[in-house]
């Protein structure tokens, strides 16, 4: 393995009447990414997310599972609850000219309490995708991903990588 890059981001928010909110709750997020260079334009990327909410969380701000970023086998906002934890791995490789491909797999779930997480309900997704380098020098890609989960297939056409 050549280069290893590690990034992380943490954010915390407080919503309350003092700041003009109709709701009173706290939100905390952690995201860890690691990228391993495996040779010429080949990358193994990992991503782990944790989202925690506490208080009177409005439904549109609940933690979600699914969408174009993580657990691509499920529709965005299909599952939501107070908290989310999930992780995924993606292998990115060139094909020819400006075309590349990716294979990915992820696992995670939303939950109210940690004991709510179980093997019978945990979400998984696997999939593959094509990449087109819009700006190769900036590593800006458009992507077409097809993800499969417990409920079938979902297709995503996006600009930029999932993570």
């Amino acid at each position: 393995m050549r280069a290893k890059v590690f990034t992380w981001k943490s954010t915390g928010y407080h919503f309350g009447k003092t700041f003009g909110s109709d709701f009173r709750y706290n939100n905390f997020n952690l995201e860890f990414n690691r990228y391993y260079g495996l040779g010429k334009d080949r990358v193994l990327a990992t991503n782990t997310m944790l989202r925690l909410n506490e208080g009177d969380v409005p439904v549109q701000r609940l933690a979600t599972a699914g969408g174009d970023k993580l657990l691509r086998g499920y529709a965005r906002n299909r599952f939501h609850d107070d908290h989310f934890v999930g992780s995924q791995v993606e292998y990115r490789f060139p094909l020819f000219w400006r075309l590349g491909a990716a294979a990915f797999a992820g696992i995670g779930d939303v939950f109210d309490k940690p004991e709510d997480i179980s093997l019978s309900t945990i979400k998984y997704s696997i999939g593959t995708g094509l990449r087109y380098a819009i700006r190769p020098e900036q590593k800006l890609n458009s992507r077409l991903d097809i993800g499969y989960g417990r409920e079938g297939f979902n297709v995503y056409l996006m600009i930029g990588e999932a993570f």
Side-chain angles (χ1 to χ4, degrees):
M1 282 190 222
R2 292 184 184 173
K4 295 180 190 174
V5 177
F6 176 75
T7 65
W8 67 278
K9 177 173 63 172
S10 68
T11 57
Y13 303 96
H14 171 73
F15 299 86
K17 296 196 185 302
T18 305
F19 300 106
S21 176
D22 291 335
F23 300 91
R24 181 172 167 75
Y25 70 100
N26 297 303
N27 169 263
F28 181 70
N29 305 286
L30 280 173
E31 183 172 356
F32 301 95
N33 297 324
R34 188 128 194 197
Y35 304 91
Y36 301 89
L38 303 177
K40 186 165 174 43
D41 296 326
R42 297 176 189 281
V43 175
L44 181 67
T46 63
N47 168 256
T48 300
M49 284 188 207
L50 175 66
R51 296 195 174 140
L52 304 172
N53 289 302
E54 178 270 322
D56 183 24
V57 185
V59 70
Q60 69 269 25
R61 300 292 296 183
L62 289 169
T64 62
D68 63 286
K69 300 276 186 204
L70 182 60
L71 293 175
R72 286 170 263 181
Y74 302 90
R76 178 184 302 277
N77 299 328
R78 168 67 177 91
F79 300 97
H80 54 275
D81 210 323
D82 282 339
H83 316 296
F84 171 82
V85 64
S87 191
Q88 63 185 333
V89 63
E90 183 170 285
Y91 176 57
R92 303 169 184 163
F93 55 96
L95 293 174
F96 60 91
W97 185 56
R98 289 184 170 202
L99 292 178
F104 54 86
I107 190 167
D109 209 351
V110 292
F111 59 96
D112 181 36
K113 299 179 289 298
E115 53 270 18
D116 294 340
I117 298 174
S118 79
L119 289 176
S120 65
T121 60
I122 201 160
K123 315 302 182 272
Y124 67 85
S125 69
I126 59 171
T128 189
L130 288 175
R131 306 292 186 264
Y132 174 75
I134 298 170
R135 295 195 167 209
E137 67 282 355
Q138 295 176 352
K139 306 262 188 227
L140 178 61
N141 292 333
S142 62
R143 63 184 167 99
L144 174 66
D145 287 342
I146 300 172
Y148 175 79
R150 290 181 187 260
E151 297 182 342
F153 290 92
N154 277 283
V155 178
Y156 303 94
L157 179 60
M158 307 299 294
I159 302 288
E161 295 294 349
F163 59 97

